[in-house]
Amino acid sequence: MNTLFNQPLTVVNAGLSSFADNLALAGGDVTDLRWQPPALGDVDAGLALATLIRHPLVEHANDQAFQQYLAAQPVLVDVMSAAHAISAMAHRKLILHAGPPIEWADMCGPVKGAIIGAILFEGWATTHEAAERLAADGAIDFEPCHHYQAVGPMAGIISPSMPLWVIENKTNGRRAFSNFNEGLGKVLRFGANNHEVLERLHWMSQELAPALKAALNVLGEVELKPLMAQALHMGDEVHNRNAAATGLLIKRLIPALLSAGLPIERIQRVTEFIVGNDHFFLNLSMAACKAMTDAAHNVPFSSMITVMARNGVNFGIRMSGTGDRWFQAPANPVEGLFFPGYGVEDAAADLGDSAITETAGVGGFAMASSPAIVKFVGGTPADATSNSRRMQAITLGGNPAFTLPALNFAPTAAGIDARKVVDRGILPIINTGIAHKEAGVGQIGAGITTAPMPGFIEAIRALAEYV
């Protein structure tokens, strides 16, 4: 012992940082290990977690779920109306929304505004006041997009007459759906519902969607994983930056549109709309990611997360081994860059189904491939790379289909393991747009957020009951 204290000491401090500070002030060589108990110090949850670590049933289930995710081959196969694609919408006044379930009275401003717009678009009411009364009186059914294998950005609203992208996983034949991207500005997904918004929605339904369907009839099926992989090598992360992916899609679509026998004026309007919207591919990316994570869902005993979604109030997750059960917690705030004149006090809580991209290992998990994204969401290119590296600590493995040039073409981290999230205290990172809390104002910024820990703790408790 005397020999030990007669030589230079290097101290590792685990716990309160003030202990490390005192040692440093005294001239000591100290490394401050930022550690906290798992499960936010919840003893019962920590014990539940301990039963799941290295459990043979869970390990085998996670391997199966992850392999099914990797094997998924999402392909764009069709365009059709929501009522045609989703049978439950054919004979009901049903509107789908982003995130976990929520009642009308509890919805945030942008979601309420978007629902009013959808009611007017469907012709179920002729005034904003009448549409709001229908929604408040229970005349309209509201359910999450995820309950019908669908996803939508921000408010995520899908009503029966809206056109949908139809994505099929060629490995298992299951389909996923997403609505069309309207572009930026005053748009439905941010809660806008004025005449301009409704006119655009009608044009998308009556002219854009049929033209794209005709183009697909000429083009045939479009494999999306290779297109997304190429976009990652061109500076996208296929969530908040889709400039390259949209460009690659346009290269496929324009020759097909020209060969589809459509009037040249119509082709011009359609191509101008797509070319003017760098986010056009986002909804396809989301549906492809939904198809991939759905392939891993409902594997008994698996702790792999297959859904992360937000409704502007709560953040919800679903875990493969616990079926269609939601685990919810209040959504975390978004830290980012605001447009001039706006600040955090103006922002709605985290919103949208687009976190399905992070669930599938792209988006925020692939920020290393998209250093330019930091000009949109804040931070530095080094932060973007650090985010991608840190997600490797909470995932089951990497997806070799999606590689990151900045990390020596390492595969993106994928397969969020709820056990690792709770054990290591590292939250899944998400980059996202920021909506104004009032309907119709629109996007006011973009930034970085994380999934809240309490939902993962609840999921671990539930899984421990199964094992």
Side-chain angles (χ1 to χ4, degrees), residues 174-196:
R174 294 190 65 188
R175 290 186 165 187
F177 312 100
S178 181
N179 50 11
F180 281 22
N181 196 285
E182 309 156 80
L184 297 177
K186 301 290 186 182
V187 290
L188 190 76
R189 70 178 183 275
F190 285 105
N193 53 33
N194 61 20
H195 178 74
E196 174 191 350

Side-chain angles (χ1 to χ4, degrees), residues 355-375:
I356 194 67
T357 56
E358 282 81 7
T359 316
V362 290
F365 282 47
M367 286 177 68
S369 72
S370 185
I373 195 67
V374 300
K375 290 189 174 183

Side-chain angles (χ1 to χ4, degrees), residues 343-358:
V344 66
E345 69 279 359
D346 302 306
D350 197 15
L351 176 63
D353 285 335
S354 57
I356 194 67
T357 56
E358 282 81 7

